[in-house]
């Protein structure tokens, strides 16, 4: 027997020779099938080309013969490779027995047999265009047996959805749009369609019960941490799938069937693949990935009819449900008490195939669990409680695209659950025999979605930036809170055009999701109190929330749910809250879903305790604490309305007062403006109107919900100081008087940050030393400053003597050489209010006005107009100087007369 190195060398030589033979046979096959019998240029795609080559006519016999020959060669090649790896028995322990090549490959992945088909497809992926590659893949999937296809499946899935580490982008489905790349888009969508070639490949492999390893390290944080600690996650998705490494190994893997493996990659590509630089302006709803999610949901979670059976090309019919794997060691339950009952369930797990009726929906169940686990299960209850600390670091930050896809999932789940017939929704119908799909519709949201969605939303509400992008999170939350919007029957519109009344049918949903209504509403109030409500986008978000919660009968349902939770526990033991939500972890949810509980109060308490823990402190939504927050929000809404109106008035006044040349961009901006920049400056009067409308309606809805009257609002508005003073100007920010002067309160800081109020600040330094403005020529301003400084230094005595004269010449010189209004300025400092400026500057010449674009353009325009009347530059300059002297003399007389009146 040859040593391992020699065997490897011989093995490599034989592989190289057979590969060369395989390429030549493929070339011959294509030559025999092409006109003239001459092979065409380009790389040979292997057996796929031989299987697909040829034209209709006399070459059909040749093509059939060569296809059969090619398949025989491929089968012989596979058998040879399998036997070659088993010719060296001394390499393996004598006690090891393999029942199949698949078990051998999984036990020794480093000695997996190479695949010529895989090598050929990899070569084609580099040398062929996208459309041709997809055509070849379709032919390969149709012609080759599952034994050959299972070797290419992991590579194909990764080449489509990208690698789990984000390095390989795959087909980049998140940026592929039909209007940008129509050909590639249509080909990709047809290939990945639920009834397309890729899913046929999945079912073909599913029928042979192949398993594929998926690394645990790429699972969401809580799941990964749980498995690494040898604790079984609560989702049945992971049961009987964890594969522990051999002695000394470090990596943990999940043994997934082809459908699970495909869906894991598809779902995780939303998170692992980073968007390309040019994808920032792509609309998510137009992308191939978003549309594929919608198609998969419609196919596997149908709102009408039943789930379509899997398409299988094998004569055996549809693929069976996956067989479970026995775990290598017992697990404890995840997130629950380690009772002996739970341990018994885990150590004696029932098979997935125990209930034949579950075969109907195992794909639907798997799809939903994969989507929820990969997209929502990034925060556990313990992690959420740790994240309440201000020093905690974020473990996972969702993107806006991620949130939009989750919203699509929630909307479809509501439609899926609401597709139950009325007689199937009643508790009496639950006790009778129903189909697995009907049971799944009833249990999908509370069993799989509710807890993970709540933690996901809590994290977003607490950590999302305070900007307009929060709108995506807000709409996802509001979509979940309104399942009646996705019911088959539409609610009747009231005759007076008011909002629709929420039917009592939805009271159980509101009560069993109480925290998603109440606690998240409080979280939104906290965000709204920290945002700039003058912004139209922020005002719209407040309006949307207020409108949804103000729907008739919804507030009453929430109050009823709070009353049920706050009822004293007279009969129900304290420890049973957790046991209500504890599943008996079996392979499918059907056997683990607890029976219906008729005690409504018990349901509400179980919901709250399961999401917040036994020691939670519940704050009633209609209690005094939340009511105080609502009153503060109402005050800020009133304040924001007045601020928007003031900004609108100020913009109108400044626009009307601008000179004619301001349209050229040479108008100097007011550095002492009362309000900072805002979206209103960019969107104009229409934006002001929308902001005022949103805030007005939001205030009206809040008053309806919490029964606020006009007297309360007026009193609180006056207490906050939102009224205007006698001069029509805004008051100073909220302050208190301290030992050193005025001190800002937290409310005053909020008012300044959001532009609601501002101190009147004006420049009181040397006007010659002000920063160079955008409407000035920097080099010219510096040159004029040096020139005027030289003149002032040389002629300081003469200018002082002229300005000290009491006649008209002295007044004329003082008007030009003395800074106006110097003695009337005061330092507006909170520390020393009212202290007059002590510095007195002497007469000086200022030429800075000549460095302004506006001044220079005005002079050029004057010379241009003069040239139209045949006036030369010199006479024009004399006329300008003469005109200025006349203007200056008139202003001098008016200034002196004004001073006499002041005396």
């Amino acid at each position: 027997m040859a040593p391992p190195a020699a065997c490897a060398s011989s093995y490599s030589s034989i592989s190289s020779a057979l590969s060369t033979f395989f390429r030549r046979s493929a070339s011959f096959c294509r030559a025999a099938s092409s006109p003239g019998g001459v092979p065409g240029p380009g790389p040979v795609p292997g057996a796929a080309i031989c299987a697909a080559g040829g034209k209709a006519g006399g070459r059909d016999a040749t093509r059939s013969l060569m296809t059969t020959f090619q398949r025989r060669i491929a089968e012989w090649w596979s058998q040879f490779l399998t036997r070659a790896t088993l010719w060296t028995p001394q390499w393996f322990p004598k006690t090891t027995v393999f029942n199949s090549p698949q078990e051998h490959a999984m036990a020794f992945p480093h000695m997996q047999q190479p695949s010529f088909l895989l090598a050929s497809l990899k070569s084609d992926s580099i040398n062929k265009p996208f459309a041709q590659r997809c055509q070849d893949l379709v032919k390969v999937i149709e012609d080759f047996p599952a034994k050959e296809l299972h070797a290419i499946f992991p590579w194909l899935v990764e080449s489509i959805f990208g690698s789990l580490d984000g390095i390989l982008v795959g087909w980049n489905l998140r940026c592929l749009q039909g209007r940008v790349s129509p050909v590639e888009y249509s080909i990709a969508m047809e290939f990945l369609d639920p009834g397309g070639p890729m899913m046929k490949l999945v079912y073909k492999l599913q029928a042979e019960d192949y398993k594929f390893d998926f690394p645990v390290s790429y699972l969401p944080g809580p799941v990964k941490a749980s498995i690494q600690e040898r604790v079984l996650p609560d989702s049945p998705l992971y049961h009987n799938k964890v594969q522990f490494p051999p002695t000394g190994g470090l990596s943990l893997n999940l043994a997934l069937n082809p459908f699970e493996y495909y869906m894991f990659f598809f779902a995780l590509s939303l998170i692992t693949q980073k968007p390309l630089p040019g994808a920032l302006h792509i609309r998510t709803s137009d992308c191939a990935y978003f549309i594929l999610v919608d198609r998969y949901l419609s196919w596997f979670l149908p709102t009408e009819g039943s789930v379509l059976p899997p398409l299988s090309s094998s004569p055996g019919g549809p693929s069976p449900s996956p067989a479970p794997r026995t775990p290598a060691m017992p697990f404890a339950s995840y997130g629950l008490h380690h009772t002996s009952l739970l341990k018994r369930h885990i150590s004696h797990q029932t098979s997935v195939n125990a209930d034949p009726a579950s075969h109907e929906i195992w794909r639907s169940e798997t799809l939903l669990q994969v989507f929820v686990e990969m997209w929502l299960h990034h925060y556990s209850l313990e992690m959420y409680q740790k994240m309440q600390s201000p020093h905690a670091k974020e473990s996972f930050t969702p993107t806006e695209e991620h949130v939009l896809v989750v919203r699509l999932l929630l909307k479809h789940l509501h439609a899926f659950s609401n597709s139950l017939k009325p007689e199937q929704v009643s508790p009496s119908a639950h006790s009778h025999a129903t189909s697995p799909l009907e049971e799944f519709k009833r249990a999908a949201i509370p069993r799989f979605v509710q807890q993970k969605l709540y933690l996901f939303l809590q994290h977003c509400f607490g950590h999302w930036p305070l900007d307009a992008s929060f709108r995506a999170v807000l709409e996802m939350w509001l979509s979940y809170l309104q399942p009646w919007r996705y019911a088959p029957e539409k609610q009747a519109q009231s005759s007076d055009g008011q909002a629709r009344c929420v039917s009592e049918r939805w009271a159980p949903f509101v009560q069993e999701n109480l925290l998603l209504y109440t606690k998240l509403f409080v979280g939104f109030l906290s965000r709204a109190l920290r945002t700039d409500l003058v912004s139209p986008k922020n005002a719209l978000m407040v309006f949307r929330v207020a409108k949804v919660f103000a729907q008739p009968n919804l507030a009453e349902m929430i109050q009823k749910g709070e009353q049920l939770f706050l009822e004293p526990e007279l009969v129900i033991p304290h420890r049973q809250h957790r046991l209500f939500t504890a599943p008996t972890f079996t392979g499918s949810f059907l056997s683990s879903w607890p029976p219906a509980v008729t005690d409504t109060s018990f349901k509400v308490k179980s919901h709250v305790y399961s999401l917040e823990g036994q020691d939670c402190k519940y704050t009633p939504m209609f209690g005094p604490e939340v009511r105080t927050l609502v009153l503060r929000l109402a005050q800020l809404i009133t304040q924001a309305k007045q601020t928007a109106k003031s900004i609108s008035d100020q913009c109108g006044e400044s626009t009307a007062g601008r000179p004619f040349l301001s349209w050229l961009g040479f108008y100097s901006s007011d550095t002492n403006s009362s309000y900072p920049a805002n979206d209103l400056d960019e969107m104009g009067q229409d934006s002001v109107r929308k902001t005022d409308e949103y805030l007005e309606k939001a205030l009206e809805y809040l008053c309806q919900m919490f029964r606020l009257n006009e007297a309360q609002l007026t009193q609180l508005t006056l207490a906050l100081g939102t009224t205007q003073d006698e001069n029509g100007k805004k008051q100073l920010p909220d302050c208190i008087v301290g030992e050193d002067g005025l001190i800002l309160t937290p409310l005053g800081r909020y008012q300044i940050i959001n532009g609601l109020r501002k101190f009147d600040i004006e420049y009181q330094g040397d006007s010659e030393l002000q920063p160079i403005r955008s409407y000035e020529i920097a080099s010219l301003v510096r040159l004029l400053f040096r020139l005027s400084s030289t003149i002032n230094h040389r002629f300081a005595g003469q200018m002082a003597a002229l300005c000290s004269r009491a006649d008209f010449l002295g007044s004329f010189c003082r008007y030009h050489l003395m800074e106006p209004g110097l003695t009337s300025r005061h330092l507006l400092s909170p520390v020393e209010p009212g202290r007059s400026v002590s510095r007195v500057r002497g007469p000086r010449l200022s030429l800075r006005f000549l460095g302004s674009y506006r001044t220079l353009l005005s002079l050029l325009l004057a010379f241009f107009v003069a040239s139209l009347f045949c006036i030369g530059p010199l006479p024009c300059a004399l006329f300008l100087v003469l005109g200025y002297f006349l203007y200056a003399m008139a202003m001098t007389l008016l200034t002196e007369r004004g001073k006499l009146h002041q005396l």
Side-chain angles (χ1 to χ4, degrees), residues 27-276:
S27 177
F28 171 76
C29 175
R30 187 175 64 177
S33 303
S34 61
V38 180
V44 179
I49 298 298
C50 291
K55 301 286 184 179
R59 298 184 180 84
D60 288 345
T62 303
R63 182 186 62 177
S64 176
L65 177 63
M66 294 309 301
T67 301
T68 304
F69 170 74
Q70 198 75 3
R71 288 180 179 175
R72 293 290 177 85
I73 290 294
E75 292 176 2
W76 178 82
W77 171 247
S78 177
Q79 294 174 5
F80 166 77
L81 294 177
T82 303
R83 293 174 181 174
T85 57
L86 299 176
W87 281 344
T88 55
Q90 72 275 17
W91 292 1
F92 308 103
K94 294 184 179 180
T95 57
T96 304
V97 178
F98 301 110
N99 297 323
S100 66
Q102 288 81 10
E103 293 185 10
H104 171 266
M106 292 185 65
F108 296 92
H110 60 283
M111 298 186 62
Q112 259 184 323
Q113 49 184 302
S115 170
F116 174 77
L117 178 60
L118 176 61
S120 177
L121 291 175
K122 286 183 178 180
S123 175
D124 292 345
S125 65
I126 301 175
N127 301 319
K128 285 189 175 183
F130 178 74
Q132 183 62 40
R133 297 202 310 266
C134 290
Q135 292 178 7
D136 292 346
L137 286 172
V138 172
K139 296 171 185 176
V140 167
I141 293 171
E142 291 290 340
D143 296 340
F144 278 77
K147 185 177 181 181
E148 298 296 329
L149 295 175
H150 93 279
I152 71 167
F153 183 67
W155 167 82
L156 180 57
V157 171
E158 186 177 82
S159 66
I160 295 174
F161 302 122
S163 57
L164 295 173
D165 54 12
I167 297 177
L168 301 178
V169 297
W171 290 4
N172 198 18
L173 299 174
R174 291 166 57 187
C175 300
L176 184 61
Q177 298 185 83
R179 58 184 179 84
V180 178
S181 305
V183 177
E184 291 81 1
Y185 174 85
S186 60
I187 293 174
M189 296 299 293
E190 182 179 355
F191 187 82
L192 300 176
D193 189 80
M198 189 65 191
M199 204 56 68
K200 290 181 181 178
L201 171 61
V202 170
Y203 296 144
K204 204 170 186 179
L205 298 174
Q206 190 81 26
E208 301 295 333
D209 194 26
Y210 283 106
K211 299 293 181 180
F212 300 91
D213 287 343
F214 186 92
V216 172
S217 58
Y218 291 106
L219 294 176
V223 179
K224 177 175 63 176
S226 174
I227 295 178
Q228 290 175 346
E229 294 173 2
R230 303 299 195 266
V231 178
L232 184 64
D234 60 348
S235 174
L237 182 66
Y238 306 105
H239 296 178
N240 302 320
K241 294 182 177 65
V242 180
Q243 300 296 307
F244 293 96
T247 304
L250 297 177
S251 60
L252 289 168
N253 293 305
L254 298 179
L256 304 178
N257 63 51
F259 186 81
E260 293 168 339
Y261 189 83
Y262 176 82
M263 287 301 171
F264 266 62
F265 266 84
F266 176 75
L268 277 176
S269 64
L270 177 65
I271 299 170
T272 58
Q273 297 299 316
K274 300 297 183 288
L276 298 177

Side-chain angles (χ1 to χ4, degrees), residues 464-485:
W464 200 277
L466 292 172
D467 56 19
S469 64
F470 185 72
R471 175 78 185 279
V473 179
L474 188 78
E475 294 299 336
M476 175 183 67
W477 173 49
L478 297 180
S479 295
Y480 182 78
L481 298 186
Q482 303 178 86
W484 45 87
R485 291 184 56 191

Side-chain angles (χ1 to χ4, degrees), residues 525-583:
L525 287 179
S526 301
R527 288 185 61 93
L529 292 173
R530 291 178 289 154
T531 55
D532 179 14
L533 299 184
V534 181
S535 168
K537 297 177 181 178
N538 293 335
L540 175 60
M541 287 192 281
V542 176
F543 163 74
R544 288 282 297 123
V545 174
K547 181 180 180 182
V548 169
F549 277 85
Q551 294 178 83
N553 201 34
L554 179 58
E556 289 76 8
M557 289 182 183
I558 297 174
Q559 282 183 302
K560 178 62 176 177
E562 290 189 328
Q563 292 172 2
L564 291 172
F565 174 74
L566 298 175
E567 282 182 0
E569 298 185 27
L570 300 178
V571 181
I572 304 172
H574 183 70
R575 297 281 293 179
Q576 288 188 4
H577 295 303
R578 280 290 196 170
L579 295 179
F580 172 77
T581 58

